Amino acid sequence: ARGIRREGARAVGTLLAATGIVIALAGAALAAFPRADHWWLDGLEHLAPAVQAAFLTPYERQVAADSREAIARSRAELARLRALQADVQWGLRTLPEEQRERLRQFTVSRDEIMTGDRLVLATLKQRARERQRLALGVPLALAGALLTAAALRRRPRPAPGRV
């Protein structure tokens, strides 16, 4: 803000150029490396799930919805079972040894099932990324490059005697 007040349009041009560079790099990275971790796209998909859903087939969207529901159910069930295990461990409730072992095994298996559902979501995310690489990555890279070029072209030169 101080730079904008001090240098005016020149500082805004620099900010727009830097923004364009970041956008161009993000788009190029998505186009070149769709399997990499794109935190900006993860955040966008978290805020607007339709961004990912648009790149999934109807069947894949249904699988994703089913997996999310299963994960939510598993979390609730695991919380309940772990609370029961804690109560047994601290002596607030008693269970026969056989039931304690079954509870432990069920908790482990439920956790593994939830991990499997997360793996399904990760696989669907990768499929969407492969489809997004050209539909989002290339246009973002071009838009960022154009923004950078326009910002640098319109950026006023410093006044004589100023650097």
Side-chain angles (χ1 to χ4, degrees):
R2 266 187 253 136
I4 291 173
R5 272 187 262 138
R6 187 179 57 232
E7 296 190 33
R10 182 172 169 75
V12 171
T14 302
L15 179 63
L16 284 176
T19 302
I21 290 169
V22 169
I23 291 171
L25 288 175
L30 176 60
F33 309 106
R35 292 186 176 266
D37 187 22
H38 300 284
W39 57 266
W40 62 272
L41 191 50
D42 290 339
L44 181 62
E45 289 171 346
H46 181 73
L47 294 173
V51 172
Q52 185 183 72
F55 293 92
L56 296 174
T57 65
Y59 175 74
E60 290 169 337
R61 283 193 292 272
Q62 185 59 51
V63 169
D66 292 344
S67 292
R68 285 187 194 99
E69 288 174 19
I71 288 170
R73 281 192 311 270
S74 291
R75 276 190 186 132
E77 183 67 11
L78 278 170
R80 187 184 72 75
L81 292 174
R82 287 185 176 137
L84 177 59
Q85 277 182 325
D87 287 349
V88 169
Q89 182 180 0
W90 292 103
L92 301 174
R93 292 185 66 175
T94 58
L95 286 177
E97 186 61 35
E98 180 183 319
Q99 282 185 331
R100 277 190 269 172
E101 180 59 22
R102 281 161 99 211
L103 178 62
R104 186 193 66 76
Q105 290 174 356
F106 190 76
T107 303
V108 169
S109 68
R110 177 57 63 184
D111 201 22
E112 288 175 2
I113 290 169
M114 189 167 67
T115 301
D117 286 323
R118 286 185 181 136
L119 183 60
V120 167
L121 290 178
T123 301
L124 292 174
K125 175 179 160 182
Q126 288 306 316
R127 286 186 184 178
R129 289 288 191 271
E130 288 291 332
R131 295 169 188 150
Q132 290 168 334
R133 88 185 293 174
L134 296 177
L136 290 179
V138 173
L140 277 175
L142 291 174
L146 289 173
L147 177 62
T148 302
L152 291 176
R153 209 168 122 229
R154 297 211 182 263
R155 203 171 100 188
R157 300 281 177 223
R162 290 182 76 185
V163 177

